[in-house]
Amino acid sequence: MYRVFLADDEAWERKAMKKIIQEMELPLLVDGEAEDGIEAWNRLREKIRIFCWQISVCRV
């Protein structure tokens, strides 16, 4: 099982990504979320190996 961190400034986008991961029954566990790039980076560098990032994420 791979742990995944979702980062998007839109809560509905993060929710949709989680739903897709669950419905596809992928070997992924959503292990965290962030609303912007700074929060994501601070949390990512601590423990996450796979990172889904919107190309134009704010505050990076």
Side-chain angles (χ1 to χ4, degrees), residues 5 33-44 59:
F5 189 92
E33 300 179 28
E35 294 182 7
D36 64 44
I38 293 173
E39 178 186 358
W41 177 250
N42 288 335
R43 296 186 63 199
L44 168 70
R59 294 186 52 194

Side-chain angles (χ1 to χ4, degrees), residues 6 16 20 26 41 46 48-49 56 58 60:
L6 304 175
I20 290 168
L26 300 171
W41 177 250
E46 294 173 2
I48 305 299
R49 296 185 189 278
S56 61
C58 300
V60 174

Side-chain angles (χ1 to χ4, degrees), residues 5-22 30 32-36 39-40 43 52 54 57:
F5 189 92
L6 304 175
D8 195 301
D9 57 339
E10 298 289 344
W12 66 271
E13 287 280 358
R14 295 189 310 272
K15 185 176 180 178
M17 286 188 275
K18 283 196 315 193
K19 184 175 181 180
I20 290 168
I21 290 169
Q22 291 169 348
V30 176
E33 300 179 28
E35 294 182 7
D36 64 44
E39 178 186 358
R43 296 186 63 199
C52 298
Q54 177 184 345
V57 70

